[in-house]
Amino acid sequence: MTEQRSRALDIGTMPRGGPNASWLDRRMQTDVLEYIDRFDVSDEIKQVVISELDRQDWHEDHARTALALVADIDHPRILELGAGHGKLSAKLLELHPTATATITDLDPTSVANIAAGPLGAHPRARTQVVDATTIDAPENSYDLVVFAMSFHHLPPAQACRAIAEATRISTKFLVIDLARLPTPALPLIPLLGLLIAAPGALRKGPLTILPFLHDAIISLLRAYRPQALTALAQAADPAINVEFLPKPPPLTCAVFSRT
């Protein structure tokens, strides 16, 4: 029991750069919440941020990465965590004629919006409010769990529990997220956030896009390194393996599975 508590405490305070992160790497992270994680922020602002995330148009590439992991399964059962507006699940169902998708998010408003749209009437889709750290499903309920562009929202202790839960209910757990910048480039995060937000600012005006800029900078500061993801998996269960798939910057891609 003492060893387990010690390990949990170490993971709870682990830097986003991993157990051996440098001084600068440890300094260039934050516990500040993104707007979409805050209860004191209106749903309108949250939906602005999610809409701008959707405009990054990574959904088809992420969907093809996910489907490659279940290519040998005729009727893959896929659970998406942190689905936002559900665009990734929509692409999964479009690309695979027999896949089923359970589309979930912690935010009830996002789930209600998905349910009220085309996905809510899709015969191979269902929507549900789900906390990634406590998934109400038995073991082996799914062939794949996908968590795209949202894993960094979880602090280390919660991220560890999410890995344990996802690999409990599924054969594989795919995490696609922002990659943590190389240590010398971390001070450039505000500039990179501006570059990411610039297209939205041109369309909607700088004041409208400020929430997305805020969340883009916070996301980059909260992103995990591969070393951190490996440490999280080992803390969740030493039997969990991690494979990193090639992705161009600014993305990282990890597949967690149990031996």
Side-chain angles (χ1 to χ4, degrees):
M1 181 65 71
T2 301
E3 180 182 353
Q4 291 178 345
R5 286 178 178 172
S6 175
R7 183 174 62 188
L9 177 62
D10 291 342
I11 284 298
T13 58
M14 184 190 71
R16 300 291 176 124
N20 299 316
S22 68
W23 175 87
L24 178 59
D25 208 333
R26 292 167 187 264
R27 296 292 297 176
M28 294 299 297
Q29 66 176 50
T30 183
D31 292 326
V32 173
L33 295 179
E34 296 167 56
Y35 282 140
I36 59 176
D37 292 329
R38 287 169 48 179
F39 293 106
D40 61 334
V41 171
S42 70
D43 286 329
E44 181 181 3
I45 290 178
K46 292 180 181 181
Q47 295 306 311
V48 166
V49 175
I50 294 171
S51 295
E52 286 304 312
L53 286 171
D54 283 342
R55 291 183 187 277
Q56 301 303 312
D57 200 24
W58 288 327
H59 305 299
E60 181 166 348
D61 181 67
H62 294 348
R64 293 189 183 279
T65 299
L67 291 175
L69 297 175
V70 291
D72 59 339
I73 300 174
D74 291 335
H75 298 82
R77 303 160 299 166
I78 301 173
L79 168 67
E80 183 185 3
L81 300 171
H85 285 167
K87 296 294 182 66
L88 172 56
S89 284
K91 186 59 68 173
L92 286 168
L93 295 171
E94 175 188 328
L95 294 175
H96 198 297
T98 58
T100 57
T102 301
I103 308 154
T104 75
D105 199 281
L106 184 61
D107 180 25
T109 299
S110 289
V111 174
N113 289 340
I114 295 170
L119 281 176
H122 197 291
R124 291 183 284 120
R126 69 187 181 104
T127 59
Q128 188 177 348
V129 176
V130 169
D131 182 340
T133 66
T134 54
I135 304 173
D136 185 15
E139 294 181 5
N140 302 316
S141 296
Y142 297 94
D143 301 300
L144 179 66
V145 176
V146 183
F147 204 166
M149 309 309 295
S150 296
F151 192 77
H152 62 272
H153 290 260
L154 304 178
Q158 292 183 19
C160 183
R161 290 197 294 272
I163 292 171
E165 278 289 273
T167 55
R168 176 184 65 81
I169 66 166
S170 176
T171 305
K172 296 176 181 177
F173 178 34
L174 172 65
V175 171
I176 305 174
D177 207 351
L178 291 170
R180 191 162 182 80
L181 294 182
T183 302
L186 286 171
L188 300 177
I189 282 177
L191 175 59
L192 183 56
L194 283 170
L195 293 175
I196 293 173
L202 291 174
R203 286 193 308 272
K204 298 184 176 182
L207 294 180
T208 305
I209 208 63
L210 281 176
F212 179 66
L213 172 60
H214 172 276
D215 278 18
I217 292 174
I218 297 301
S219 296
L220 291 165
L221 290 170
R222 292 171 68 95
Y224 286 104
R225 288 204 193 286
Q227 299 94 317
L229 296 175
T230 300
L232 291 170
Q234 286 298 295
D237 189 335
I240 297 177
N241 290 328
V242 189
E243 178 186 4
F244 292 95
L245 305 181
K247 280 287 181 184
L251 300 177
T252 190
C253 181
V255 181
F256 301 86
S257 59
R258 292 181 184 266
T259 54

